[in-house]
Amino acid sequence: MDFFGKRLSGPFTIPSGIVTTATSIIQHFFDEVPEVGVMTTKSIGPDPRQGNREPILSQYAPGNFVNAVGLTNPGMSASAALLATLTIPEDRFLLTSIFGGSLEEYVAVAKCLAPFSDGLELNLSCPHAKGFGMAMGQDPELVFEIIKAVKAAVDIPVIPKLTPNTDRFGDIVRAACDAGADALCAVNTVGPGYTSAYGHPILSNGAGGMSGKGILPIALKCVREIRAVCELPIIGCGGVSSSHDVLAMQDAGASIIGVGSALTGMTTTDIKDYFKVLASPEPSVANTAESKIRYDLDMAFKPVTLIENQTVCDDIVLLTFAEDFQIKPGEFVFLWVPGVGEKPFSVLCDKPLQLVAINVGEFTESLMGLEPGHETYLRGPYGQAVAPLTQQKVIAVAGGTGLAAVYQIARDNPGSQVFTGARTAERLYYLNECRDIASVHVATDDGTAGFSGRVTELLEEYLKTLPSAELKDLVFYNCGPEPMVHAAVAVQNRYAQPHQIFSAIDYLTKCGVGICGACATPDGQRLCVDGPFLNPPKTASTP
Ligand SMILES: Cc1cc2nc3c(=O)[nH]c(=O)nc-3n(C[C@H](O)[C@H](O)[C@H](O)COP(=O)(O)OP(=O)(O)OC[C@H]3O[C@@H](n4cnc5c(N)ncnc54)[C@H](O)[C@@H]3O)c2cc1C
Ligand SMILES: Cc1cc2nc3c(=O)[nH]c(=O)nc-3n(C[C@H](O)[C@H](O)[C@H](O)COP(=O)(O)O)c2cc1C
Ligand code: FES
């Protein structure tokens, strides 16, 4: 199909802020998901914004979500530099979503990003980020002024994205058309709405925008209203997941169909398969797309009872809970402390549940002195469990709290070797437990315990002694600070093939279910659904 001079490879988009929020993911989808012909970026504003602290996403019923990401973005200048790195195929359309706090800001962002974009989507409709978007998007005069000013400033298509949260939707559509909009996108999230668990708001922002299956009827109503008053192309999104929904959107008047929340919980491979099926011209195939939606996704918090908070050293604690927790090696959880937030953790041990935390910021600081009995909850498990082949011998390489990610892998695979490193002896923990289940090799930078030097140097000393017949049956699991993981991979590459090496690097992980894209790896995977252990190790420094 044609869209503003481009013959698109496919009729779908993923709406702004969902999955394709980092350039590495965008490029991966350009290269591998032709059904997504229009690539919509995360909304970009004039200045960098960290957005809200986690929780940023809550599921209130299967397939239905409330989010308050808070317009996280690196700002227009950094975004321009990132977008400039993209190779946009001829048959894809890069739609850059922008927002501002004033007319002047919309124009400034538009001018900055237009040279790197095929079109601009104006986010006039974010229901939870105060001062941005929706307030302006609810006022037909302001909508008119913003679109007119942006149109005058750039010479690429300008596509306002409209909020459904207004009783003046028709007036707003007319204002957008009169101002010269080239197409329209509808809808943004509905609400704001509110979710709670155990008497506490789940989102750190309190309220957020509602998306997913339940908002489809509202989206269809809005798209119909647009089509009733104008002939402009429409990008229709909101609650689409099945081939039936796609037909309903097309029937309402949309030519590009956005599928967003329906992708929650899917790995990158799942998403590729899903779009392939959804785009099939064969109805009997397309109709199976809905069966791929992760309605089984569990985002509910389960109460856990902290019974011991053991200080390892100034900035590391070992948390022991009363409960056992069913989790496979390699998977991870979110720990939620109401009023403080939630953050991802590996499970050091499942029986009883034990976590280890290192103090790097607000949430982990709060764990340092967390009293036994304090209210805490877990959600998960998430991520892909690891599965060494039966003949493979595990070599686990851990730095700092990375031991939490590899202890269970070693425990469940007899004959494993655990290499654990720390700056000083006082930062080591869980050694006796490790010695009970594996051969343990300890390194400290200052020589206060075990080998004096880096754990990766100790690893190389060990690998040197192995005959090649043994080397080919090794499988490596690395977890720790990024420089340690890179150093471990560099050593392992000298003795083994890339398919034997798996690494988990703690990229910033916010939703944990694949939707926000915060955990993008340099090669466009999402750590929380595709990892955390990824093979081959995807790092900025490895080709
Ligand atoms: C799958 C997974 C498993 C993890 N397991 C453990 C574990 O077992 N034990 C443990 O102590 N930690 C673990 N982490 C890391 C832990 O989640 C972060 O340290 C924690 O989220 C920091 O939160 P905070 O509020 O204390 O810091 P914040 O206030 O959020 O951040 C402090 C500073 O660190 C930066 N930052 C925060 N998180 C990250 C990150 N992941 N990557 C890069 N920079 C970041 C921030 O930008 C900020 O500059 C894991 C992370 C992942 C993704
Ligand atoms: C986690 C999340 C982040 C979002 N971020 C943005 C954003 O930055 N800009 C925007 O215009 N819409 C944003 N949206 C709204 C979506 O683009 C889309 O309009 C909405 O979710 C409805 O589609 P869906 O039901 O298919 O998800 C976000 C939605 C979610 C769930
Ligand atoms: S996609 Fe949100 S943290 Fe991975």
Side-chain angles (χ1 to χ4, degrees):
M1 65 174 296
D2 289 335
F3 192 65
F4 296 108
K6 285 201 160 182
R7 174 137 299 182
L8 295 184
S9 56
F12 294 103
T13 190
I14 301 177
S16 178
I18 297 180
V19 181
T20 52
T21 59
T23 39
S24 65
I25 305 178
I26 291 176
Q27 190 63 57
H28 190 82
F29 274 63
F30 273 154
D31 297 340
E32 308 242 340
V33 193
E35 295 79 14
V36 177
V38 174
M39 191 67 66
T40 312
T41 72
K42 173 82 195 149
S43 292
I44 300 165
D47 303 309
R49 275 174 67 95
Q50 288 223 312
N52 296 320
R53 287 188 65 87
E54 306 88 313
I56 53 153
L57 182 75
S58 154
Q59 179 178 241
Y60 64 91
N64 290 277
F65 303 89
V66 176
N67 91 83
V69 173
L71 294 172
T72 308
N73 80 101
M76 62 182 180
S77 304
S79 297
L82 287 167
L83 293 179
T85 66
L86 289 170
T87 306
I88 310 174
E90 295 254 296
D91 54 2
R92 306 306 147 81
F93 187 94
L94 180 64
L95 181 57
T96 303
S97 171
I98 67 168
F99 70 91
S102 64
L103 185 148
E104 292 72 23
E105 285 188 359
Y106 272 99
V107 170
V109 182
K111 279 183 171 165
C112 177
L113 298 176
F116 310 100
S117 313
D118 293 317
L120 295 177
E121 183 172 275
L122 307 186
N123 180 355
L124 295 168
S125 46
C126 186
H128 57 268
K130 291 173 196 71
F132 296 98
M134 191 169 80
M136 283 177 267
Q138 287 169 327
D139 178 338
E141 283 81 43
L142 264 177
V143 166
F144 179 88
E145 295 299 337
I146 292 169
I147 298 169
K148 206 164 160 45
V150 173
K151 277 291 294 173
V154 300
D155 55 8
I156 55 173
V158 173
I159 306 177
K161 181 174 181 183
L162 306 182
T163 177
N165 306 315
T166 169
D167 52 10
R168 301 185 66 189
F169 191 77
D171 296 339
I172 289 162
V173 172
R174 266 182 291 274
C177 296
D178 293 347
D182 296 286
L184 294 174
C185 175
V187 292
N188 207 315
T189 48
V190 173
Y194 180 94
T195 52
S196 67
Y198 306 98
H200 305 284
I202 294 178
L203 300 179
S204 68
N205 191 54
M210 295 158 67
S211 66
K213 201 76 194 165
I215 73 165
L216 177 68
I218 295 172
L220 289 174
K221 182 205 76 137
C222 290
V223 171
R224 283 190 174 278
E225 275 188 59
I226 296 172
R227 184 49 76 238
V229 296
C230 76
E231 287 304 313
L232 295 179
I234 301 172
I235 301 175
C237 62
V240 175
S241 61
S242 69
S243 58
H244 179 266
D245 302 339
V246 172
L247 291 176
M249 267 291 177
Q250 287 167 337
D251 181 53
S255 48
I256 303 292
I257 312 296
V259 181
S261 298
L263 307 177
T264 311
M266 290 189 193
T267 65
T268 301
T269 306
D270 293 341
I271 294 179
K272 289 176 196 171
D273 292 346
Y274 168 77
F275 274 116
K276 208 165 260 131
V277 166
L278 190 65
S280 171
E282 187 54 60
S284 62
V285 176
N287 288 344
T288 63
E290 182 74 352
S291 67
K292 297 182 182 295
I293 307 298
R294 291 291 311 276
Y295 290 120
D296 61 330
L297 185 77
D298 185 2
M299 291 188 73
F301 289 105
K302 294 116 194 147
V304 286
T305 315
L306 182 66
I307 54 170
E308 191 185 1
N309 186 344
Q310 185 193 331
T311 300
V312 174
C313 61
D314 278 358
D315 61 347
I316 301 179
V317 291
L318 183 59
L319 306 174
T320 304
F321 296 83
E323 297 78 9
D324 295 345
F325 194 81
Q326 273 223 332
I327 185 162
K328 297 194 206 78
E331 295 174 333
F332 67 98
V333 295
F334 278 82
L335 177 66
W336 180 43
V337 183
V340 184
E342 68 162 2
K343 288 288 181 178
F345 289 89
S346 302
V347 168
L348 176 63
C349 188
D350 51 356
K351 286 184 188 127
L353 171 66
Q354 289 186 302
L355 308 178
V356 62
I358 186 161
N359 184 357
V360 298
E362 195 176 320
F363 185 84
T364 45
E365 165 82 31
S366 81
L367 298 183
M368 296 299 117
L370 198 69
E371 296 285 341
H374 195 100
E375 206 181 354
T376 45
Y377 303 89
L378 283 195
R379 69 175 171 97
Y382 299 117
Q384 304 300 317
V386 302
L389 305 173
T390 32
Q391 78 276 14
Q392 285 184 315
K393 287 282 174 241
V394 167
I395 304 236
V397 185
T401 57
L403 188 62
V406 298
Y407 168 78
Q408 288 201 67
I409 303 177
R411 186 197 63 188
D412 294 359
N413 290 280
S416 298
Q417 309 283 327
V418 173
F419 286 77
T420 182
R423 271 174 268 152
T424 62
E426 62 159 8
R427 303 180 70 76
L428 293 163
Y429 57 91
Y430 229 61
L431 286 186
N432 290 336
E433 290 82 348
C434 285
R435 287 187 179 117
D436 287 345
I437 53 102
S439 302
V440 179
H441 310 254
V442 174
T444 48
D445 293 358
D446 68 352
T448 45
F451 175 84
S452 177
R454 308 266 175 195
V455 69
T456 48
E457 293 162 7
L458 179 59
L459 172 69
E460 180 139 35
E461 293 301 314
Y462 174 78
L463 293 177
K464 269 184 200 161
T465 66
L466 298 184
S468 49
E470 275 186 48
L471 288 172
K472 75 172 176 24
D473 281 339
L474 298 179
V475 58
F476 296 91
Y477 294 100
N478 306 310
C479 187
E482 194 164 351
M484 184 224 85
V485 171
H486 293 330
V489 171
V491 169
Q492 290 153 7
N493 274 330
R494 290 197 277 278
Y495 297 88
Q497 300 301 311
H499 71 264
Q500 294 170 265
I501 305 170
F502 296 82
S503 298
I505 295 177
D506 293 352
Y507 296 112
L508 181 65
T509 298
K510 289 192 148 193
C511 71
V513 292
I515 204 80
C516 73
C519 63
T521 68
D523 70 339
Q525 300 191 72
R526 286 156 298 141
L527 170 137
C528 69
V529 282
D530 297 320
F533 282 95
L534 290 166
N535 164 259
K538 305 300 193 306
T539 68
S541 53
T542 46

